[in-house]
């Protein structure tokens, strides 16, 4: 029986449909048996509607039904589809309360089904052919006895179908047996049935022509009585050995003797089954005679090394010797009955030459031809074919005998000689031919032009000694000569000097020529000028080094500029927060909010540029930490509601309930992507709608694809600009930046961040009709026991908590003091690393905020020195870096120096509070 998972697989659906069609019951007339079962189902379950449904690929066939006039309906979204896909009885007590069916046409309109129950029809192999069902127009619940009754009726239906199928199969088999019996009667071959002793129980009329007995005379006789005495022992041995090895099917040739003494060869096929031999014999006397003659010819032909092929009068192969199989790879089975030329021809075979040879055969003429052919493995081979036609008494071709020689090596040698001759005289490549010791015997004109030396000047000398006097090249040249002594080829690139004293780089490929005794007879050098290539390679190396230096300089410049800009910006943003929190005058609030917005917008631009640079240089790595996508989406949308309302927009969020509570990924970068897309949508939409939709896609046991879509009803993007919007510092129109602001980096960064997620973004838009951005990301799922408890929001008392702030910037100290003192902390301040170390050694602190760039001992060195002090306190006190730099290597330094984390300047009060919570709530 099939398992449930196998029965519901897409592969097994084809098998289910095949099983259904084998019963041959679709689109057939009504049958009383099915109608009776349907009536019984309605009575048992006390319902007005019942039926038997068969389910094929697309339609439902109502084999029997009461209470409705439907006969066949679409399978899609049907009750039957759910029964087929389910496991056992499907019972819907009230269809109005079931989301699967409350909008179904049979529920909302005639026959207005309110109750449904159906059980599948399982055949003997476990395939679900359909169902038996009952319905009512009012809600209800079946009793256990009614459910068992439905199950029993489903089995009764299958029993009826199986019996009907077996009856039909039996009738078909009987008809086929009758046809086979009629066929065997008129067959020219002997068909007979023997018992195990060999006595004939049945034999057809062919016995009269072959054995000269009538059917009546032959029945009851032993088949072995017709067998030639010399063959009986061999045949019995074959049969006995086969039966001992549990072989049931035999093929054996033996001679029989007819009533008048005529001996014939018969080829017998014999099958042993249920105490009977089922046999048929075919007269092969003539083929045995030909085979015997061929064996004699084969014996002679097998003693020669040349290939021999025999063709009939139609140029069809009848026999080949073993040498032909060895030369071409083709066996007699491959060639028999086919034309030799058709099989050995290939892409470069001279077909015209082949046709001319065939024309000579038609004219009863023999021929000799050298033909480029192809082995069975498609390798080219040269064959020399000597064809002789054998004529019969009427002067017509009886057979053709072809003697074939493999001349591939000879042809290769001729071609190589021609090629070498052509290369040596015409090529632009320099050629140097030397003796076994490397002394030059001949050079071509190209080499003379290349190095400036003539043949007279080089003859008798080793070429390397003449053109390469650079000592740095001597070891390379000597090691190459050693390879030649060992009969090895080599290829080297060597720096040489022309006769005019000009430097030149040469590529030298040396091939030693080995004689029959295995000794080097001569050497051939092919020499090419590669000076220009070497110069290009040198320039490429220099260009690569310059590019690396520029990239490093670019990263360092942006990091330094980031630090220099963030430091004063930290003061601006920090003081702005403090001023807003210090109950400013009502007339000052608007100005302070403008200042806050402008400074944070400037910070956003700086972050965009730095993020883009990190991605470009490969320094941005995605984190893999647990987070809640739904919470992230809600926070993102809530943070933008004010912006959306300011432009008269409605900002909506749709989140699929199937999305897991926790996944592994980079929450910060996903937040950045969503904020970029939602921010753009709000910016370019006025008095419209912006929506974020998140839905679950394909998933496995460990992974899930999450589909994101950000849509708006804004100004849209012209079709010819869609390909530009993801380029850096590029916007759809030239006046976009002036009207709406922005750097043109947001979408470029978004696209590159998604590439880190192995994803891509798709945009569809129409000018003045809105835009939709969509992408899909695969996340690792987390089980429930992997959840981390978020304590960052818990209320924690900060009384008696001591914090040390280390920073050389007075404004930063002022901002930190104002923010932290409001929360009740006891604060101390140090302006340099040494002062911080002294204070830490004198007093116990609960947390240290450490600036990185300070005169004297910087933040990294200070942290290392604190961690090196003796005592558990110095090893465990949390040290949080305050930095304005975003260099990737500094993030590594934080861990190496023993720091627990870092906050990027300019920082917001809520960021500092979140860090403090994370440590003081432990």
């Amino acid at each position: 029986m099939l398992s449930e998972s196998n029965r519901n697989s897409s592969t097994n659906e084809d098998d289910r449909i095949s099983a259904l069609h084998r019963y041959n019951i679709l689109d057939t007339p009504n049958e009383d048996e099915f109608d009776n079962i349907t009536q019984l189902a309605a009575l048992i379950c006390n319902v007005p509607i019942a039926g038997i449904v068969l389910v094929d690929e697309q339609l439902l066939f109502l084999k029997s039904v009461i209470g409705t006039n439907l006969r066949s309906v679409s399978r899609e979204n049907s009750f039957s589809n759910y029964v087929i896909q389910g496991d056992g009885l499907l019972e819907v007590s009230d269809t109005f309360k079931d989301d699967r069916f409350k909008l179904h046409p049979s529920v909302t309109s005639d026959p207005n089904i309110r109750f449904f129950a159906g059980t599948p029809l399982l055949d003997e192999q476990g395939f679900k052919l359909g169902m038996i069902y009952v319905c009512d127009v009012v809600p209800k619940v079946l009793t256990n006895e009614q459910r068992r009754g439905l199950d029993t009726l489903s089995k009764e239906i299958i029993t009826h179908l199986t019996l009907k199928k077996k009856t039909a199969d039996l009738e078909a088999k009987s008809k086929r047996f009758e046809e086979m019996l009629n066929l065997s009667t008129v067959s020219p071959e002997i068909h007979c049935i023997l018992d195990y002793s060999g006595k004939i129980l049945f034999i057809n009329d062919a016995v009269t022509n072959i054995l000269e007995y009538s059917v009546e005379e032959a029945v009851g006789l032993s088949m072995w009585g017709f067998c030639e005495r010399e063959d009986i022992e061999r045949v019995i041995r074959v049969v006995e050995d086969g039966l001992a090895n549990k072989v049931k099917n035999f093929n054996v040739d033996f001679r029989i003797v007819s009533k008048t003494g005529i001996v014939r060869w018969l080829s017998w096929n014999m099958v042993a089954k249920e105490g009977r031999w089922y046999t048929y014999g075919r007269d092969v006397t003539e083929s045995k005679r030909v085979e015997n003659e061929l064996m004699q010819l084969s014996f002679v032909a097998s003693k020669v090394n040349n290939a021999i092929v025999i063709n009939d009068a139609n140029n069809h192969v009848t026999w080949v010797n073993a040498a032909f199989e060895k030369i071409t790879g083709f066996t007699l089975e491959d060639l028999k009955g086919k034309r030799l030329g058709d099989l050995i021809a290939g892409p470069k075979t001279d077909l015209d030459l082949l046709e001319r040879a065939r024309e000579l055969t038609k004219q009863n003429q023999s021929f000799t031809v050298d033909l480029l052919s192809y082995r069975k493995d498609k390798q080219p081979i040269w064959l020399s074919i000597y064809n002789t036609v054998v004529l019969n008494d009427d002067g017509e071709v009886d057979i053709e005998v072809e003697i074939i020689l493999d001349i591939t090596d000879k042809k290769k040698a001729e071609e190589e000689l021609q090629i070498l001759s052509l290369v040596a005289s015409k090529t632009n490549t320099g050629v140097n031919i030397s003796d076994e010791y490397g002394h030059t015997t001949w050079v071509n004109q190209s080499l003379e032009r290349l190095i400036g030396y003539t043949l007279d000047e080089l003859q008798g000398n080793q070429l390397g000694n003449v053109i390469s006097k650079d000592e740095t090249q001597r070891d390379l040249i000597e090691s190459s000569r050693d390879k030649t002594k060992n009969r090895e080829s080599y290829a080297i690139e060597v720096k040489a000097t022309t006769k005019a004293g000009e430097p030149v780089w040469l590529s030298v490929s040396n091939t030693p020529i080995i004689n029959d005794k295995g000794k080097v007879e001569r050497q051939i050098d092919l020499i090419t000028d590669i000076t220009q290539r070497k110069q290009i390679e040198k320039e490429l190396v220099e260009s690569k080094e310059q590019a690396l230096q520029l990239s490093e300089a670019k990263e360092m410049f942006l990091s330094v500029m980031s630090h220099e800009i963030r430091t004063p910006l930290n003061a601006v943003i920090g003081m702005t927060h403090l001023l807003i929190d210090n109950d400013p005058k009502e007339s000052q609030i608007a100005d302070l909010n403008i200042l806050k917005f402008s400074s944070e917008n400037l910070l956003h631009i700086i972050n965009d540029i730095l993020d883009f640079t990190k991605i470009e240089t490969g320094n941005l790595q995605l984190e893999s930490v647990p987070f809640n996508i739904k919470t992230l989406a809600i926070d993102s949308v809530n943070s933008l509601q004010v912006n959306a309302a300011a432009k008269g927009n409605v900002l909506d969020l749709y989140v699929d309930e199937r999305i897991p509570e926790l996944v592994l990924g980079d929450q910060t970068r996903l937040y950045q992507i969503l904020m970029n897309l939602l921010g753009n949508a709000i910016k370019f939409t006025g008095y419209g709608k912006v929506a974020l939709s998140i839905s679950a896609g394909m998933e496995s046991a460990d992974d899930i694809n999450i589909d994101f879509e950000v849509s708006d009803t804004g100004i849209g993007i012209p079709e010819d600009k869609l390909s530009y919007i993801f380029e850096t510092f590029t916007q759809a129109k030239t006046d976009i930046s002036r009207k709406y602001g922005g750097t043109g980096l947001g979408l470029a960064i978004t696209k590159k961040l998604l590439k880190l997620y192995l994803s891509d973004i798709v945009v569809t838009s129409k000018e003045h009709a809105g835009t939709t951005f969509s992408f899909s990301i695969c996340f690792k799922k987390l089980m429930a026991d992997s959840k981390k408890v978020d304590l960052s929001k818990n209320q924690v008392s900060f009384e008696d908590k001591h914090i040390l702030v280390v920073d050389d910037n007075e404004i930063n100290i002022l901002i930190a003091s104002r923010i932290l003192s409001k929360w009740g902390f006891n604060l101390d301040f140090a302006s340099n690393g040494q002062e911080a170390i002294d204070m830490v050694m004198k007093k116990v602190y609960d947390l240290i905020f450490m600036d990185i760039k300070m005169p004297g001992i910087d933040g990294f060195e200070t942290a290392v020195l604190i961690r090196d002090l003796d005592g558990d306190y110095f090893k465990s006190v949390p040290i949080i870096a305050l930095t304005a730099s975003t260099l990737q290597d500094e993030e590594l330094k934080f861990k190496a120096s023993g720091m627990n984390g870092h906050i990027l300047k300019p920082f917001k009060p809520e960021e500092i509070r979140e860090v403090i919570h994370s440590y003081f709530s432990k």
Side-chain angles (χ1 to χ4, degrees), residues 333-479:
E333 288 73 19
D334 297 327
L335 294 164
K336 200 166 187 179
K338 301 173 184 176
R339 298 196 301 179
L340 174 63
D342 294 342
L343 266 72
I344 63 175
K348 296 184 179 180
T349 300
D350 189 341
L351 299 180
D352 291 337
L353 179 61
L354 187 61
E355 277 304 316
R356 289 197 298 272
R358 287 172 174 170
E359 285 298 324
L360 290 173
T361 302
K362 292 177 182 178
Q363 297 170 14
N364 300 346
Q365 297 182 32
S366 301
F367 63 84
T368 300
V369 65
D370 291 348
L371 188 68
L372 175 60
S373 308
Y374 289 82
R375 290 172 44 85
K376 186 177 181 178
D377 58 10
K378 305 305 180 184
Q379 293 298 315
I381 182 174
W382 275 96
L383 300 178
S384 183
I385 303 172
Y386 298 83
N387 176 283
T388 300
V389 294
V390 179
L391 306 179
N392 59 20
D393 296 338
D394 298 326
E396 297 175 346
V397 175
D398 189 11
I399 60 172
E400 300 175 50
V401 179
E402 294 178 323
I403 301 175
I404 301 174
L405 285 70
D406 182 358
I407 59 170
T408 304
D409 292 340
K410 174 186 173 185
K411 283 290 184 180
K412 283 184 177 179
E414 291 176 356
E415 290 175 358
E416 289 173 359
L417 185 60
Q418 292 176 356
I419 293 171
L420 181 60
S421 175
L422 180 64
V423 168
S425 59
K426 301 294 184 182
T427 185
N428 290 327
T429 301
V431 178
N432 173 59
I433 299 178
S434 56
D435 60 19
E436 64 271 32
Y437 304 109
H439 298 137
T440 297
T441 59
W442 182 86
V443 298
N444 67 348
Q445 293 180 357
S446 295
L447 184 60
E448 290 181 345
R449 288 192 299 270
L450 179 58
I451 62 177
Y453 292 96
T454 65
L455 175 60
D456 293 337
E457 293 171 314
L458 295 171
Q459 201 164 25
N461 296 309
Q462 290 181 311
L463 182 62
N465 295 343
V466 175
I467 64 174
S468 182
K469 298 181 174 60
D470 189 342
E471 289 301 322
T472 61
Q473 304 289 307
R474 300 309 301 171
D475 290 342
L476 176 62
I477 293 173
E478 289 300 328
S479 64

Side-chain angles (χ1 to χ4, degrees), residues 554-564 610 884-887 890:
K554 172 185 174 182
E555 185 181 3
M556 182 59 70
F557 170 77
L558 287 171
S559 176
V560 171
M561 290 306 297
S562 165
H563 182 272
E564 296 302 323
L610 292 174
S885 175
T886 60
L887 278 179
E890 288 199 353

